[in-house]
Each structure stands twice: as structure tokens, then as C-alpha cells.
Amino acid sequence: NFATKFNVTNGTVKITTSNGTEKSTGSNVGTGDQIRVYDGAGGLKFTYNVLIYGDTNGDGRVNGIDLLRVQKHILGISVLSGHHATAMDTNKNGMVNGLDLLQVQKHLLGIKAIQQ
């Protein structure tokens, strides 16, 4: 459980989807999900957005679907925005291009993992 990795004194941590629906224990955490920190009285104190480089569809994995989404974005067929677009910029240079596509391919082939 991803939420158990956080140590919060007098409060709780919940992992939610972007719309605030709490994720079930054991489900994948992916790009676009949120980490919400609550105080002891249950008041929301902080919200952090999850970003996994290469995970462009938010399923918590980098796979062929993500590779296809990067290709379509580069070609202008299906342009992504927000966190999902940021997740495509695997080399973190502020642009999504063929180098990012190549990095996702290398990750999938086990040649070189994408650095988070």
C-alpha cells in the first residue's frame, strides 16, 4: 500500500483519483492521482499530484499504451495536456519529442529505465 510509505503525525494520508475518489488498497498509483494529507480532525492540509514519467495514461505502469500515446502526441493526432503531458517528457527538458519516445522504448525493452 503506497499510503503506508508516508509517516504523518496526528493525521492520515489517502490516495485518491484526480476527482477525489479514494483508491482501494492494492490498486496502482499512477500519473494524475493525488496524495492527500489530513490533520487529526480530518481536515485536508495538503494535496500532492502524482507524476510517474512515462505513465501517460495514469494506470501506474509504463507500457505499450504509453508509447503509443507519446507517438500520437508527437504526430499531433491526440495531444495530451496537464500531468499526462508532463509524464511524456521523460528526459525532463521541457519538450516532448522523439528523444522521449526513444526513452520509453528503451524502458520497455529493459535497456534503460526511465529515471523518476
Side-chain angles (χ1 to χ4, degrees):
N1 188 353
F2 184 72
T4 62
K5 304 295 183 196
F6 298 91
N7 183 15
V8 178
T9 304
N10 297 323
T12 58
V13 173
K14 293 181 182 177
I15 309 299
T16 69
T17 61
S18 60
N19 66 8
T21 303
E22 191 169 354
K23 297 195 79 161
S24 61
T25 302
S27 62
N28 285 346
V29 177
T31 296
D33 288 340
Q34 295 181 335
I35 302 164
R36 295 180 179 211
V37 181
Y38 297 87
D39 62 20
L44 180 63
K45 298 303 282 183
F46 304 102
T47 300
Y48 301 98
N49 294 308
V50 175
L51 176 69
I52 301 172
Y53 287 100
D55 175 28
T56 65
N57 66 348
D59 67 358
R61 295 174 288 219
V62 179
N63 56 32
I65 294 168
D66 301 300
L67 180 68
L68 181 61
R69 288 170 63 106
V70 174
Q71 288 173 330
K72 286 183 174 185
H73 180 86
I74 292 169
L75 294 171
I77 296 169
S78 178
V79 178
L80 297 178
S81 62
H83 301 300
H84 296 102
T86 304
M88 283 191 274
D89 184 15
T90 57
N91 61 8
K92 305 167 193 83
N93 68 353
M95 301 178 294
V96 177
N97 56 32
L99 295 175
D100 300 297
L101 182 66
L102 182 61
Q103 198 159 12
V104 173
Q105 289 172 331
K106 286 181 177 182
H107 180 88
L108 294 176
L109 293 171
I111 296 170
K112 184 179 179 188
I114 296 170
Q115 294 297 309
Q116 300 298 320

